[in-house]
């Protein structure tokens, strides 16, 4: 299915096309990796609605990215339960081994590092979300093993593919 | 002997499949409701059970259903609140991931009662596994005739759609959720009108939490007397408690409403970590005022916790031990509310920004003697002066920390450092 077809299918669930903006943005972000201006305008055009309505949602909700993110977005929870179980130290460790600060992307485009509010998995704290997956009960050893796995998954060719899917840069 | 019902399936192999759910007696409540009860009789049953909403506010569910007008001339909608953004809370994720048909059956029975043919499950976008499982479960339920047209041979038609959130805590507030479902920024609406009269697309709308809906099939099968016989009369029924933080056995526990907090933390969740002592417990997610160790005899129900100056909220129980700085905990809590403020009203948007700045100063050892008075003044300016309860949650949490652990705040200011570092 094309992006347009997926969005139109999602929009059929609602009596008002405006309700379909969030599902449409999730589909578009899945397709393009992030949501630059031309993508937001395309979403508005597909739904036949005001562009400003799409812009206001894309900038309000934290899961939508209007700037590019790395191939792997490391989203470390640092809310209370994870903080009590050591997420601060894990953030320090990630900043050290990736040689970036929170909010930045590694120069090779592989990792973006963020902290996020509660992931709703407090029983498994500390927790980090990478893509669709939660990684639980983290410590330095598990973080290192995870980074090694992600690097292995990526490989040089995959990084090139990840960059190639973003035609807006 | 208390018998868990809400979590009875979750450790069964393939608990998310319809075949597993049916093997455990699933969808019999839907069949019974359609066969034996009129919609009004289901509402009466739920009213008599005294089920109070499990999302945080504890409003009586049957009464909420009873507010829906019978002949509004518009469709009635049912919305399931699965946004679950309250730090410390993960119960709805576990139900949706591991027993999604329990939720679907609850939705179907509830929709039948209020006369809705469409439901939207508003689920937070981070819950990818739960979303996939629920999508699969909806397809299975359709295939089995539990959703769709003329369900189980009755005149009842019902469809369930998933609507993914995108990372805004405020969407858990019911009117902000409706704004979000309508494709707008999630900001709370002024009430009245209440959603039961003018909710989604200005139509009558009921919004219930996942856990609330999961209770409904059990009430239909076992009766209102069974439900009311569990726990205190004014807050009855089984309850899901989320245990996290510095405790030996974090996890999700199903126990009667009204269990003492100390029993929950020390017996069921194993108590403090080795060599540590419990200093305080947050009983209902970070909106709920913290309770110091000497207050742990309080019972975990809406009224007992309110009388103790806290609240049951989402029953997200966060355990804090004696190695932890309460100024740091309080700062992190207010930082959360500040980050998640939708920006609609000034006391919350501006006030929390100010509070965070003062707290960070105090925590970092740069606090001034008047800072604690200033924090009290700011809490007074925020509490009760906002559209929704987000600002109240921040103010209540901070006030409790200041009241119970003032010595730690004072030590930061006087010693010009954190005494825990």
């Amino acid at each position: 299915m094309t992006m347009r077809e997926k969005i139109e299918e999602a929009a059929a669930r609602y009596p008002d096309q405006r309700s379909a903006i969030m599902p449409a943005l999730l589909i578009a972000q899945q397709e393009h990796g992030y949501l630059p201006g031309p993508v937001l305008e395309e979403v508005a055009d597909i739904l036949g609605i005001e562009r400003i309505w799409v812009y206001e949602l894309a900038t309000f909700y934290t899961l939508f990215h209007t700037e590019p993110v790395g191939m792997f977005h490391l989203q470390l929870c640092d809310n209370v339960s994870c903080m009590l179980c050591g997420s601060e130290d894990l953030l320090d460790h990630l900043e050290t081994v990736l040689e970036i600060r929170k909010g930045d992307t590694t120069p090779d485009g592989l990792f973006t590092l963020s902290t996020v509010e509660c992931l709703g998995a407090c029983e498994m704290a500390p927790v980090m979300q990478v893509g669709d997956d939660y990684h639980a009960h983290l410590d330095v050893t598990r973080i290192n093993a995870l980074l090694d796995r992600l690097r292995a998954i990526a490989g040089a060719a995959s990084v090139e593919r990840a960059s190639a899917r973003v035609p807006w840069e | 002997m208390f018998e868990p019902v809400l979590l009875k399936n979750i450790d069964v192999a393939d608990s998310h499949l319809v075949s597993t759910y049916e093997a455990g007696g699933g969808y019999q409540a839907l069949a019974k409701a359609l066969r034996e009860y009129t919609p009004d009789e289901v509402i009466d049953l739920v009213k008599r059970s005294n089920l109070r909403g499990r999302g945080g506010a504890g409003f009586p569910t049957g009464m909420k259903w009873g507010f829906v007008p019978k002949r509004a001339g518009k469709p009635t909608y049912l919305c399931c609140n699965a946004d679950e953004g309250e730090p410390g809370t993960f119960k709805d994720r576990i139900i949706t991931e591991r027993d999604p048909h329990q939720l679907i059956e609850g939705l179907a029975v509830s929709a039948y009662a209020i006369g809705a043919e469409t439901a939207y499950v508003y689920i937070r976008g981070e819950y990818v596994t739960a979303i996939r499982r629920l999508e699969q479960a909806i397809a299975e339920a359709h295939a089995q005739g539990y959703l769709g047209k003329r369900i189980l041979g009755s005149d009842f038609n019902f469809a369930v759609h998933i609507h993914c959130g995108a990372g805004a805590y405020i969407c858990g507030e019911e009117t902000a959720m409706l704004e979000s479902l309508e494709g707008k920024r999630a900001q709370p609406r002024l009430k009245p009108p209440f959603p039961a009269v003018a909710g989604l697309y200005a139509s009558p709308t009921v919004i219930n939490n996942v856990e609330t809906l999961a209770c409904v099939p059990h009430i239909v099968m076992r009766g209102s007397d069974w439900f009311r016989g569990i726990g205190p009369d004014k807050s009855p029924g089984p309850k899901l408690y989320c245990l996290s933080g510095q405790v030996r056995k974090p996890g999700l526990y199903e126990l009667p409403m009204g269990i003492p907090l100390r029993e929950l933390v020390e017996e069921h969740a194993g108590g403090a970590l080795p060599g540590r002592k419990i200093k305080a417990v947050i009983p209902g997610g970070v909106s709920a005022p913290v309770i110091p160790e000497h207050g742990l005899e309080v019972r975990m129900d809406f009224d007992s916790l309110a009388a103790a100056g806290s609240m049951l909220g989402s029953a997200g129980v966060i355990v804090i031990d004696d190695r932890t700085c309460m100024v740091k905990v309080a700062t992190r809590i207010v930082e959360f509310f500040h980050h998640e403020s939708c920006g609609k009203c000034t006391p919350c948007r501006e006030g929390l920004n100010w509070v965070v700045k003062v707290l960070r100063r105090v925590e970092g050892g740069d606090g001034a003697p008047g800072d604690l008075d200033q924090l009290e003044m700011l809490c007074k300016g925020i509490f009760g002066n906002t559209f929704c309860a987000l600002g109240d949650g921040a103010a209540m949490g901070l006030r409790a920390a200041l009241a119970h652990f003032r010595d730690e705040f004072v030590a930061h200011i006087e010693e010009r450092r954190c005494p825990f570092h």
Side-chain angles (χ1 to χ4, degrees), chain A residues 32 58 85 116 143:
Chain A
H32 294 286
C85 296
V116 293
I143 289 264

Side-chain angles (χ1 to χ4, degrees), chain A residues 13-15 18-19 22 57 60-63 78-79 81 84 88 117-123 129 132 134, chain B residues 87-88 90 93 120 124 126-127 132 163-164 166-167 180-184 186 201 244 246 328 332 336 340:
Chain A
R13 300 196 296 258
Y14 305 96
R18 190 170 180 175
S19 283
M22 283 172 68
L57 261 62
F60 183 82
Y61 295 95
T62 57
L63 294 191
D78 69 346
N79 212 300
S81 297
L84 293 171
E88 267 184 330
E117 299 300 346
C118 185
L119 287 170
C122 318
E123 84 280 25
Q129 186 169 20
D132 291 348
Y134 277 22
Chain B
F90 45 86
R93 187 193 94 242
Y120 293 100
R124 62 180 300 185
E126 293 92 333
Y127 283 1
R132 287 180 182 154
H163 187 96
C164 293
S180 184
L181 260 167
E182 291 181 2
K184 301 166 192 166
Y201 310 122
S244 70
Q246 293 157 330
K328 186 174 177 177
R332 187 63 191 86
F336 166 73
E340 296 299 319

Side-chain angles (χ1 to χ4, degrees), chain A residues 121-133:
Chain A
C122 318
E123 84 280 25
M124 303 186 285
V127 180
M128 183 164 72
Q129 186 169 20
V130 184
D132 291 348
D133 299 322

Side-chain angles (χ1 to χ4, degrees), chain B residues 30-358:
Chain B
L30 175 61
K32 183 179 179 184
L34 295 177
R35 188 177 63 241
E36 297 180 16
Y37 298 131
T38 66
D40 281 345
E41 286 170 341
V42 178
I43 294 176
D44 285 342
L45 185 69
V46 173
K47 277 184 182 171
R48 287 200 304 275
S49 76
N50 203 11
L51 168 63
R52 294 176 65 176
R54 294 337 197 202
F59 193 82
T61 302
M63 188 185 296
K64 184 188 271 188
W65 292 1
F67 291 152
V68 174
K70 299 292 178 199
R71 281 171 288 278
K74 295 177 177 179
T76 296
Y77 291 103
L78 175 61
C79 294
C80 169
N81 189 342
D83 198 51
E84 192 161 62
E86 179 78 12
T89 314
F90 45 86
K91 62 194 178 67
D92 297 339
R93 187 193 94 242
I94 289 180
I95 292 180
T96 313
E97 277 183 5
R98 291 160 74 173
D99 202 357
H101 285 285
Q102 184 176 209
L103 172 58
I104 293 171
E105 187 174 22
L107 280 162
V109 175
S110 306
Y112 171 68
I114 63 169
E117 294 198 346
T118 305
Y120 293 100
V121 178
Y122 192 109
I123 185 167
R124 62 180 300 185
E126 293 92 333
Y127 283 1
V128 177
T129 303
I131 292 163
R132 287 180 182 154
R133 293 260 175 94
L134 189 59
E135 280 173 347
Q136 182 187 357
I138 289 170
E140 286 181 328
H142 263 285
Q144 298 296 106
Y146 303 128
L147 293 176
K149 300 287 184 189
R150 299 188 57 78
I151 292 170
L152 300 177
S154 72
D155 292 331
F156 175 49
N157 306 319
F158 181 50
V160 177
H161 302 297
I162 296 173
H163 187 96
C164 293
Y169 169 73
I170 189 62
C171 293
E173 197 281 332
E174 61 178 14
T175 60
M177 173 173 291
L178 297 177
E179 289 286 293
S180 184
L181 260 167
E182 291 181 2
K184 301 166 192 166
R185 294 162 66 113
Q187 293 187 316
R189 296 176 181 172
L190 188 64
K191 295 185 282 191
F194 290 92
V197 177
L200 186 62
Y201 310 122
S203 287
T205 304
V206 165
I207 302 144
N208 286 139
N209 174 252
V210 170
E211 186 187 350
T212 312
L213 291 163
C215 287
V216 172
H218 303 290
I219 294 170
V220 170
M221 288 308 293
R222 294 164 182 251
S224 54
D225 289 344
W226 162 80
F227 193 87
R228 226 177 37 247
I230 301 169
D233 196 41
K234 290 184 177 174
S235 305
K239 180 76 195 88
L240 299 180
Y241 300 100
C242 314
L243 269 292
S244 70
Q246 293 157 330
V247 67
R248 285 178 195 245
K249 295 190 290 182
L252 187 61
Y253 294 84
E254 182 180 354
L255 291 159
M257 191 78 94
I259 188 172
L261 179 54
R262 187 179 298 283
E263 181 185 331
L264 180 62
V265 170
E266 294 189 347
E267 294 180 26
H268 296 281
L273 298 173
R276 298 290 172 180
K277 291 178 181 170
I278 293 172
K279 184 198 300 197
V281 177
I282 298 170
V286 296
S287 298
V290 66
I291 294 176
E293 195 279 338
H294 61 78
L296 297 190
E297 308 311 328
V298 65
R299 290 186 175 272
M300 292 292 285
D301 61 70
F302 296 106
D303 303 312
S304 301
L305 279 160
S310 188
M311 61 183 192
L312 181 65
S314 57
V317 180
I318 303 173
V319 180
I320 301 162
D321 73 23
D322 57 352
R323 69 183 158 175
T324 301
C325 169
M326 291 306 294
V327 179
K328 186 174 177 177
V329 172
T331 303
R332 187 63 191 86
I333 290 172
V334 180
E335 283 174 341
F336 166 73
F337 286 109
H338 171 234
H339 182 268
E340 296 299 319
S341 175
C342 74
K344 179 160 182 160
C345 41
T346 313
C348 180
R349 183 186 65 242
E350 304 297 330
L352 292 180
N353 184 44
W354 193 349
V355 172
V356 164
K357 284 178 178 169
V358 176

